[in-house]
């Protein structure tokens, strides 16, 4: 007791143990940085998108472009389902339901075409922009985007934290946890971006704009004044 133990074998064993611990700690730090790289890459993308939204003064065009893409997918899937279903009314009913759930509109079955739906959606966007005013409507869309982006990003951070713990178990199945984390993490991220796009688009088409009595009266007077002006021009042209 009280005397130092000094032996080549013991010293060598302690040195090897220390080296293993240091190597393990280095690998842990290295993997933590690798995991953080995935998170940082996603953070860069989401904030770039957010900044673009804040700077975009033509968000109604963005919404309409998203609607065009969504309608294309809807009708492609409908046509594919119709080819493999003897009862043509079933795929049509499913298409109608999908359109109603996404855009909040219902077109007559006999006139339901891709072109008719897109024309209806474009008219809807134009009418809302006219009623609310372009700047107000753009501000509304921007608020919807920012609100859902911020909420979904917080959810994504929690999801990635849970995923990091979950993929560690996959090493027992001879899988690389980091690779699994990258694949699953970016799949979830892509789904999140798609959810943001569809949610905001759906909200914009489903919202209904109601003018206050004062605004409605002012709009009515403006329309009457414009009509009187057109009538006056027409009468002058006729007299001439």
């Amino acid at each position: 007791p009280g005397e130092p133990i000094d032996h080549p074998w013991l010293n060598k064993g302690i040195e090897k143990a220390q080296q293993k611990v240091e190597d393990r700690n280095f690998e842990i730090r290295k993997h933590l940085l690798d995991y953080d790289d995935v998170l940082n890459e996603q953070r860069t993308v989401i904030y770039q998108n957010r900044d673009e939204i804040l700077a975009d003064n033509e968000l109604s065009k963005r919404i309409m472009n998203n609607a065009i893409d969504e309608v294309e997918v809807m009708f492609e899937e409908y046509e594919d389902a119709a080819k493999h279903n003897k009862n043509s009314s079933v795929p049509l009913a499913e298409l109608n339901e999908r359109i109603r759930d996404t855009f909040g509109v219902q077109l007559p079955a006999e006139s339901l075409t891709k072109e008719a739906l897109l024309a209806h959606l474009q008219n809807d966007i134009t009418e809302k922009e006219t009623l609310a005013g372009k700047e107000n409507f753009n501000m509304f869309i921007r608020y919807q985007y920012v609100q859902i982006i911020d909420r979904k990003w917080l959810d994504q951070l929690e999801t990635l934290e849970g995923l990091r713990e979950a993929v560690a178990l996959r090493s027992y199945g001879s899988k690389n946890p980091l690779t699994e984390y990258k694949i699953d993490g970016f799949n979830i991220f892509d789904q999140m971006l798609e959810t943001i796009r569809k949610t905001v688009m759906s909200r914009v088409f489903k919202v209904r704009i109601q003018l206050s009595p004062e605004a409605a009266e002012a709009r009515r007077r403006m329309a009457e004044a414009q009509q009187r002006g057109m009538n006056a021009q027409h009468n002058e042209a006729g007299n001439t």
Side-chain angles (χ1 to χ4, degrees), residues 35 38-39 41-42 153 156-157 159-161 163-164 167 170 177-193:
Y35 284 115
V38 175
L39 179 60
E41 189 171 345
Q42 292 188 13
W153 177 240
Q156 177 74 354
L157 292 176
T159 300
L160 290 177
E161 185 65 29
L163 180 63
R164 183 183 298 192
V167 296
R170 301 185 191 179
L178 180 59
T179 302
E180 295 291 303
Y181 179 79
K182 288 181 178 180
I183 294 173
D184 289 0
F186 279 105
N187 285 339
I188 296 171
F189 184 69
D190 287 341
Q191 292 172 6
M192 182 196 72
L193 294 178

Side-chain angles (χ1 to χ4, degrees), residues 103-138:
F103 301 110
V105 300
Q106 187 72 61
L107 298 182
E110 60 273 12
S111 61
L112 179 57
T113 63
K114 179 169 60 177
E115 292 73 21
L117 177 58
L118 289 175
H120 178 89
L121 296 177
Q122 181 62 68
N123 290 337
D124 183 72
I125 285 284
T126 302
E127 181 181 359
K128 288 172 180 174
E129 193 172 62
T130 302
L131 287 173
K134 184 174 181 178
E135 185 176 347
N136 290 333
F137 192 54
N138 199 75

Side-chain angles (χ1 to χ4, degrees), residues 56-62 125-142 209 219:
D56 194 347
N57 293 319
E58 300 287 347
L59 289 174
S60 59
K61 292 182 179 180
R62 181 188 294 256
I125 285 284
T126 302
E127 181 181 359
K128 288 172 180 174
E129 193 172 62
T130 302
L131 287 173
K134 184 174 181 178
E135 185 176 347
N136 290 333
F137 192 54
N138 199 75
M139 189 180 300
F140 167 77
I141 299 174
R142 181 183 292 127
I209 297 176
R219 187 173 293 276

Side-chain angles (χ1 to χ4, degrees), residues 14-98:
I14 294 174
E15 184 181 346
K16 287 183 178 180
Q18 288 177 335
Q19 185 64 44
K20 286 183 179 180
V21 171
E22 290 175 2
D23 290 344
R24 181 175 179 275
N25 290 339
F26 174 78
E27 286 298 317
I28 291 174
R29 289 192 298 271
K30 179 182 176 182
H31 285 310
L32 286 176
L33 291 175
D34 290 336
Y35 284 115
D36 287 342
D37 285 343
V38 175
L39 179 60
N40 290 333
E41 189 171 345
Q42 292 188 13
R43 181 183 288 111
T44 299
V45 173
I46 200 71
Y47 278 112
Q48 283 178 346
N49 288 347
R50 196 177 189 278
D51 289 343
E52 289 175 4
I53 295 295
L54 292 173
D56 194 347
N57 293 319
E58 300 287 347
L59 289 174
S60 59
K61 292 182 179 180
R62 181 188 294 256
I63 293 296
M64 193 60 211
N65 288 335
N66 290 340
I68 292 172
D69 293 340
E70 186 66 18
V71 170
E72 289 285 349
V73 172
M74 285 181 177
F75 275 84
E76 284 178 7
E77 294 180 355
Y78 159 70
E79 292 168 1
D80 185 63
K83 291 178 183 178
H84 299 88
N85 197 317
K86 295 180 180 179
N87 187 352
S88 60
S89 63
V90 174
L92 183 59
E94 292 176 349
L95 176 62
N96 260 312
E97 183 178 358
R98 189 171 174 184

